[in-house]
């Protein structure tokens, strides 16, 4: 069974510094097939609260390539956040 990672990419900015891309990987536990891993990805995307969207209303959008995009829906610019499913290679 393959091992799966959820990879989260978002822009973060500490006060007084320029924005930087941050990438975090979260391994999925157990032996999941691809379909079950995609269910976990969807759950994570719906629950994820990106730092770049604090205080903004947001929408979670599924892309055709098995990834999710979290964007601001309040008309103000906020950096989007992307969650993707990746198979871990040993």
């Amino acid at each position: 069974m393959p091992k799966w990672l959820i990879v989260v990419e978002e822009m973060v900015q500490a006060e007084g510094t320029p924005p930087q891309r941050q990438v975090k990987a979260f391994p999925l536990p157990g032996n999941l097939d691809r379909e079950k891993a995609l269910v976990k990805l969807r759950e994570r995307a719906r629950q994820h609260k990106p730092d770049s969207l604090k205080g903004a209303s947001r929408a979670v959008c599924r892309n055709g390539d098995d990834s999710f995009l979290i964007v601001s829906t309040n008309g103000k610019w906020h950096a989007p956040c992307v969650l993707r499913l990746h198979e871990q290679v040993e």
Side-chain angles (χ1 to χ4, degrees), residues 19-32:
Q20 295 183 347
R21 191 178 102 180
Q22 179 177 354
V23 179
K24 294 181 184 177
F26 301 93
L28 292 176
N31 293 324
L32 302 175

Side-chain angles (χ1 to χ4, degrees), residues 3-49:
K3 293 183 181 179
W4 299 100
L5 296 171
I6 293 176
V7 177
V8 178
E9 296 179 43
E10 66 181 293
M11 295 299 288
V12 295
Q13 185 172 10
E15 197 170 313
T17 64
Q20 295 183 347
R21 191 178 102 180
Q22 179 177 354
V23 179
K24 294 181 184 177
F26 301 93
L28 292 176
N31 293 324
L32 302 175
D33 62 24
R34 182 174 176 76
E35 293 306 312
K36 289 179 183 171
L38 287 170
V39 168
K40 296 288 186 188
L41 174 64
R42 176 185 289 261
E43 290 170 3
R44 180 68 177 241
R46 294 179 84 193
Q47 295 171 357
H48 189 69
K49 307 251 190 266

